Amino acid sequence: MAALAATATLGVTAATAGTGGPALRADSGFTEDRSADLAKAIDPAKPKNVILIIGDGMDDSIITAARNYTYGAGGRFPALDSLPFTGAMTTYGLKVGAGPDYPIAYVSDSAPTASGWSTGKKTVDSRLSQGPSAASNIPGENYETVLEKYQTQGKLVGNISTAEITDATPAAAASHISQRACQGPTDMTACAVEKKSATPAGLGSIAEQLVDHKIDVLMGGGKNRFVQATDAGPTVLDSAATKGYRLVEDSSQMNAVTSLEGGPVLGLFAPANMTTRFAPMVATATGAGGPYASCANADRGDQPDFSRMTRKAIELLDNDKGFFLQAESAMVDKQEHSADICGAIGDVVELDEAVQEALNFQADNPDTLILVTADHGHSTQIIPAAANAKLSTTLMTADGDPMTVGYSTAEAGQSQSHTGTQVRVAASGPQGANVTGVIDQTDLFATLLGRTPSE
Amino acid sequence: MAALAATATLGVTAATAGTGGPALRADSGFTEDRSADLAKAIDPAKPKNVILIIGDGMDDSIITAARNYTYGAGGRFPALDSLPFTGAMTTYGLKVGAGPDYPIAYVSDSAPTASGWSTGKKTVDSRLSQGPSAASNIPGENYETVLEKYQTQGKLVGNISTAEITDATPAAAASHISQRACQGPTDMTACAVEKKSATPAGLGSIAEQLVDHKIDVLMGGGKNRFVQATDAGPTVLDSAATKGYRLVEDSSQMNAVTSLEGGPVLGLFAPANMTTRFAPMVATATGAGGPYASCANADRGDQPDFSRMTRKAIELLDNDKGFFLQAESAMVDKQEHSADICGAIGDVVELDEAVQEALNFQADNPDTLILVTADHGHSTQIIPAAANAKLSTTLMTADGDPMTVGYSTAEAGQSQSHTGTQVRVAASGPQGANVTGVIDQTDLFATLLGRTPSE
Ligand SMILES: [Mg+2]
Ligand SMILES: [Mg+2]
Ligand SMILES: [Zn+2]
Ligand SMILES: [Zn+2]
Ligand SMILES: [Zn+2]
Ligand SMILES: [Zn+2]
């Protein structure tokens, strides 16, 4: 118990250590005017390198819960909370319809949201970097993505995730398909006209399209999609080898690659999604956890964690012409769907560590823009212990005090829903000022590509 | 139906008019780099005038719902969404305990949160500008407030709200009491030792303390608290008259006052809380409203609305030495407690209009700092139509499409709970840069008072 001295002023806290959390900080208060700091952070130059870090479903509520648990309510994430430019971002999408105008979807899934920043245009649920249409199985117009544009410009590109690398968020960066479920060549039932073997030939499954893009660093989970046979016979992995990809399947294999001279890198660290930092603690109707409960580390075997993947990607991509990297901490969302507070919290912490890797690189390469945001809101609410919720969990935080979270957008055992709230967006580096105020997800597109410098 | 052209890029939308909403805007997209705009907005000078506008419970979720309904998902609040400095603010509080350290409360009520910015210090639920203690009925140490400090400096001060003016948020600005329920002299059962007639004499009820402060402009609801007899015999209203206050009780009486030369102004426009803009639409287990439902205007009689109150307060307070005004759109919170989406939405819109009044004044008086934020998160979630929630309501937005919101932190008929999420904070004007990044509520204290300019 007991964490804040009654006489502490301006938010300076004295927190006590929780179980399993990183070292604590106590710097939430500040006394100096920060106008000069903010002015110093502004740089109108077009960035050379761009690192986009996504926490899937990482809205303000799960950020706060993760901070409370890990650093205490008055603590701060060393990297995530230190970014100088901050704003709010709307995340709505469209629904299928007759067009040319389409109804608005006030809550979206990960496909149209990632497509929003990848292409600068809105689309419908489940669709990847392709426009809206009359029905979910009717493909829309393909929209060029940030990653594709940067490849054309001659920059190196990376795309990493802790989910299957064929999952919606990484898929939007470099594939165009009507339905996100069409991840591998034998998952194409819903996307028959987009198969490579269709007439006319389609672009194929997400796994095939990612490999066809020769993305310089492509790493995550989802090996199961790549061992599927393509319509032409060989597996996607065979096809990747033909294109010169080097396959790495665990942390040490990843670490052994120190340059891209030998060809692009395909990391497939798990059959499906990668393992979260913390083992699940799933909310129940009567309340999981308790005032002394804490999160346990999961057994991740030889999998790299998200920040190591991010560091390696940056190391490999760094080159004279610059690079674009999209890095997704994906399991925040998946574990919120499962009403698993520990899984979600641990992967927010890993995102913070990945942001630190990006900041470390930026310190030596100030022409690097770092953007950190979420794709949409999610279900977790921090509630009073006495409040009702359909499902809840209580954890002891780094303050030594109990925090209760509730999940009420689905019944026990069913998938909790996304929500339609605007989400936090933060940035550091050149043109980072473009995330301040209230922006839309599609506004990130031009920012990621670098805008014409202002005067 | 149908609101966004498929070919629209960068968030530029073409919305269709909803029922009852203000004129629509379609300016969410932007093409220019905004680094120079942000740089131009930075001013390290100490502000002469400070206007703090609070939306009680106004987190990102209710802001988004109100925007969707009123302007469409791609629309923008003309004032609220235009503020150049934006950040996230933590809102946690303390729990009573043995001290000197106190347990953390991850969800707080409106008393410790308003006390946080008013005094720069954390305190316990229900307590107003007074420190924590061993029990809720044991008064803590009184902390000096921003309003009190500015009065000492010779600035004029205002304190207005759409709730009872003795409710927690306005009370924290200029009273010190252990429990927020002690609003009038005959409401002091829980605060016996703080009565004026106690030995030693206490400061009295919230109504008495507000009047004793001779606040230059004090306006809101809550007349019922002021007609109560003080321990000394006369009512609080009698006591206010003795101190030179002029009482105004409706819109035209308020408008008739055009200067403070005749004495301070006490506006009491309702017996209890003031009327919201929209009539209630309360969520139900089976779903209130529907795809064509819209909010109806409430009958507000002669009550002024929040933006007119704000404009009048600014007009009266404007003077050579500067002023401090706290203006609260209070009913956002009250209606969220009631699972009433219309009540909450309408009063977010009124807050936006009040921010516009502040911006209009700032245009002629650039030495004015405007801060806009909430005290804590709340219960409303924007959810998919197919999602579950304990209670839900569907409305047709300005896009012409249905939006569903859910409430699940209490059962039907009970009060929905606050939540513990960090909330949006925004600013315009000198030293507004101090709200960027992640700050704590107590950090507002020094910003409101004006920090030593940075270089
Ligand atoms: Mg994802
Ligand atoms: Mg209030
Ligand atoms: Zn997502
Ligand atoms: Zn999801
Ligand atoms: Zn409140
Ligand atoms: Zn409340």
Side-chain angles (χ1 to χ4, degrees):
Chain A
M1 310 281 282
L4 189 76
T7 52
T9 58
L10 297 171
V12 178
T13 63
T16 57
T19 307
L24 297 169
R25 290 163 55 98
D27 59 356
S28 72
F30 63 98
T31 51
E32 294 81 18
D33 171 54
R34 304 190 306 179
S35 300
D37 291 344
L38 186 63
K40 216 178 308 170
I42 296 175
D43 175 359
K46 203 162 175 158
K48 173 186 167 189
N49 308 305
V50 176
I51 303 172
L52 171 64
I53 299 179
I54 300 294
D56 196 310
M58 192 184 70
D59 62 17
D60 282 84
S61 192
I62 194 69
I63 290 173
T64 310
R67 183 192 301 113
N68 288 344
Y69 179 75
T70 312
Y71 294 101
R76 288 290 178 266
F77 281 111
L80 179 60
D81 290 344
S82 77
L83 301 169
F85 304 110
T86 47
M89 185 175 79
T90 53
T91 71
Y92 66 97
L94 305 179
K95 292 178 178 170
V96 293
D101 291 345
Y102 293 86
I104 298 288
Y106 296 100
V107 183
S108 291
D109 80 25
S110 302
T113 50
S115 300
W117 70 71
S118 294
T119 71
K121 299 191 176 80
K122 297 284 184 187
T123 193
V124 300
D125 263 5
S126 184
R127 190 150 299 178
L128 292 166
S129 295
Q130 212 182 55
S133 65
S136 53
N137 64 345
I138 299 176
E141 178 192 352
N142 290 341
Y143 297 147
E144 194 177 14
T145 69
V146 171
L147 185 146
E148 290 169 330
K149 285 177 181 284
Y150 270 139
Q151 259 190 329
T152 303
Q153 290 177 27
K155 285 192 199 280
L156 297 184
V157 295
N159 188 12
I160 67 177
S161 173
T162 53
E164 296 183 90
I165 194 63
T166 51
D167 200 23
T169 314
S175 68
H176 310 271
I177 201 157
S178 61
Q179 287 168 88
R180 57 182 284 182
C182 303
Q183 297 186 63
T186 61
D187 303 320
M188 294 291 284
T189 317
C191 309
V193 302
E194 293 167 280
K195 291 180 78 156
K196 289 208 177 203
S197 58
T199 309
L203 295 173
S205 68
I206 293 166
E208 292 166 279
Q209 292 191 50
L210 292 176
V211 163
D212 286 345
H213 271 84
K214 288 193 73 170
I215 294 167
D216 300 284
V217 179
L218 181 65
M219 304 195 299
K223 189 179 177 189
N224 284 348
R225 311 294 180 175
F226 290 77
V227 298
Q228 295 177 14
T230 64
D231 299 345
T235 66
V236 186
L237 268 186
D238 293 333
S239 158
T242 305
K243 290 182 193 319
Y245 275 99
R246 292 170 293 167
L247 180 66
V248 296
E249 299 195 76
D250 62 28
S251 195
S252 54
Q253 288 179 12
M254 179 185 85
N255 289 333
V257 180
T258 56
S259 128
L260 290 177
E261 278 174 33
V265 177
L266 175 60
L268 293 171
F269 305 118
N273 293 327
M274 293 177 65
T275 305
T276 52
R277 170 169 295 195
F278 290 141
M281 185 177 294
V282 176
T284 64
T286 53
Y292 300 102
S294 55
C295 298
N297 289 327
D299 177 3
R300 317 176 87 174
D302 295 328
Q303 294 179 19
D305 74 17
F306 181 57
S307 68
R308 301 299 170 92
M309 290 164 67
T310 303
R311 180 162 74 191
K312 175 56 70 178
I314 292 171
E315 175 198 327
L316 295 175
L317 292 170
D318 182 21
N319 79 102
D320 287 349
K321 297 180 94 171
F323 67 85
F324 169 66
L325 170 64
Q326 175 174 305
E328 185 204 20
S329 182
M331 303 304 287
V332 179
D333 167 83
K334 309 273 186 218
Q335 302 319 113
E336 288 197 79
H337 281 302
S338 302
D340 164 21
I341 187 64
C342 283
I345 282 177
D347 284 22
V348 172
V349 175
E350 293 211 343
L351 177 137
D352 175 61
E353 294 167 358
V355 174
Q356 188 61 59
E357 294 294 342
L359 288 170
N360 293 349
F361 176 78
Q362 188 192 50
D364 294 326
N365 300 272
D367 44 6
T368 303
L369 170 64
I370 302 168
L371 280 175
V372 185
T373 191
D375 50 353
H376 50 72
H378 220 300
S379 49
T380 311
Q381 291 180 302
I382 304 170
I383 57 175
N388 280 10
K390 288 192 173 181
L391 310 172
S392 69
T393 302
T394 298
L395 288 177
M396 183 174 74
T397 71
D399 297 312
D401 298 310
M403 169 180 71
T404 300
V405 294
Y407 296 87
S408 303
T409 57
E411 307 303 329
Q414 300 188 319
S415 180
Q416 297 292 322
S417 288
H418 298 174
T419 66
T421 184
Q422 58 194 23
V423 297
R424 180 174 191 262
V425 54
S428 172
Q431 300 195 351
N434 291 295
V435 306
T436 59
V438 180
I439 67 170
D440 184 69
Q441 207 148 42
T442 55
D443 292 324
L444 288 185
F445 176 70
T447 303
L448 289 168
L449 284 171
R451 295 166 184 266
T452 305
S454 60
E455 196 37 64
Chain B
M1 309 282 281
L4 190 78
T7 53
T9 57
L10 297 171
V12 178
T13 64
T16 57
T19 307
L24 297 170
R25 289 162 57 96
D27 60 355
S28 72
F30 62 99
T31 50
E32 294 80 20
D33 172 54
R34 304 191 309 178
S35 299
D37 291 345
L38 186 63
K40 217 178 307 171
I42 297 175
D43 175 0
K46 203 161 176 161
K48 173 187 167 191
N49 308 305
V50 176
I51 302 172
L52 171 64
I53 299 179
I54 300 294
D56 197 309
M58 192 184 71
D59 61 17
D60 282 84
S61 191
I62 194 70
I63 291 172
T64 311
R67 183 192 301 113
N68 289 344
Y69 179 76
T70 312
Y71 294 101
R76 288 289 178 266
F77 282 112
L80 179 60
D81 290 344
S82 77
L83 301 169
F85 304 111
T86 46
M89 185 175 80
T90 54
T91 71
Y92 66 97
L94 305 178
K95 292 178 178 170
V96 293
D101 291 344
Y102 294 85
I104 298 289
Y106 295 101
V107 183
S108 290
D109 79 28
S110 303
T113 50
S115 299
W117 70 70
S118 294
T119 71
K121 299 190 175 81
K122 296 285 185 189
T123 193
V124 300
D125 262 4
S126 185
R127 190 151 298 178
L128 293 165
S129 296
Q130 211 181 57
S133 64
S136 53
N137 63 347
I138 299 176
E141 179 192 350
N142 290 341
Y143 298 146
E144 195 176 14
T145 69
V146 170
L147 185 146
E148 290 169 331
K149 285 178 182 284
Y150 270 138
Q151 261 192 329
T152 303
Q153 291 177 27
K155 285 191 199 281
L156 297 184
V157 295
N159 188 13
I160 68 177
S161 173
T162 53
E164 295 184 90
I165 193 63
T166 51
D167 199 24
T169 314
S175 68
H176 309 272
I177 202 156
S178 60
Q179 286 167 88
R180 58 183 283 182
C182 302
Q183 296 187 64
T186 62
D187 303 319
M188 295 290 284
T189 318
C191 309
V193 302
E194 293 167 279
K195 291 180 77 155
K196 289 208 177 202
S197 58
T199 310
L203 296 174
S205 67
I206 293 165
E208 293 166 280
Q209 292 191 50
L210 292 176
V211 163
D212 287 345
H213 271 85
K214 288 193 75 172
I215 295 167
D216 300 285
V217 179
L218 181 66
M219 303 195 300
K223 189 179 176 188
N224 284 346
R225 311 294 181 174
F226 289 78
V227 297
Q228 295 178 14
T230 64
D231 300 346
T235 66
V236 186
L237 269 187
D238 293 334
S239 157
T242 305
K243 288 182 193 321
Y245 274 100
R246 291 169 295 166
L247 180 66
V248 295
E249 298 194 78
D250 62 28
S251 196
S252 54
Q253 289 180 12
M254 180 186 83
N255 290 333
V257 180
T258 56
S259 128
L260 290 176
E261 275 173 33
V265 177
L266 175 60
L268 293 171
F269 305 117
N273 293 328
M274 293 176 66
T275 304
T276 52
R277 169 168 297 195
F278 290 141
M281 185 178 294
V282 176
T284 64
T286 53
Y292 300 102
S294 56
C295 298
N297 288 327
D299 177 3
R300 317 175 88 175
D302 296 329
Q303 294 179 19
D305 74 16
F306 181 57
S307 68
R308 300 300 171 93
M309 291 165 66
T310 302
R311 179 162 73 190
K312 176 54 72 176
I314 292 170
E315 173 197 328
L316 294 175
L317 293 169
D318 182 22
N319 79 103
D320 289 348
K321 297 181 92 168
F323 67 85
F324 169 67
L325 170 63
Q326 176 174 305
E328 184 204 22
S329 183
M331 304 303 288
V332 180
D333 167 84
K334 310 276 185 213
Q335 301 321 110
E336 288 198 79
H337 281 301
S338 302
D340 164 22
I341 187 63
C342 284
I345 282 177
D347 283 24
V348 172
V349 175
E350 294 212 343
L351 177 138
D352 175 60
E353 294 167 357
V355 175
Q356 189 61 61
E357 294 294 342
L359 289 169
N360 293 349
F361 176 79
Q362 189 192 50
D364 294 326
N365 299 272
D367 45 5
T368 303
L369 170 65
I370 301 169
L371 280 175
V372 185
T373 190
D375 50 352
H376 50 71
H378 219 301
S379 47
T380 311
Q381 292 180 301
I382 304 169
I383 57 174
N388 280 9
K390 289 193 173 181
L391 309 172
S392 69
T393 303
T394 297
L395 287 178
M396 183 176 72
T397 71
D399 297 313
D401 298 310
M403 169 179 73
T404 300
V405 295
Y407 298 86
S408 303
T409 57
E411 306 303 330
Q414 299 188 321
S415 179
Q416 297 291 323
S417 289
H418 298 173
T419 65
T421 184
Q422 60 194 20
V423 296
R424 179 175 192 259
V425 55
S428 171
Q431 301 195 351
N434 291 293
V435 306
T436 58
V438 180
I439 67 171
D440 184 68
Q441 206 148 43
T442 56
D443 292 323
L444 288 186
F445 176 71
T447 303
L448 289 168
L449 285 170
R451 295 167 184 266
T452 305
S454 58
E455 196 41 62

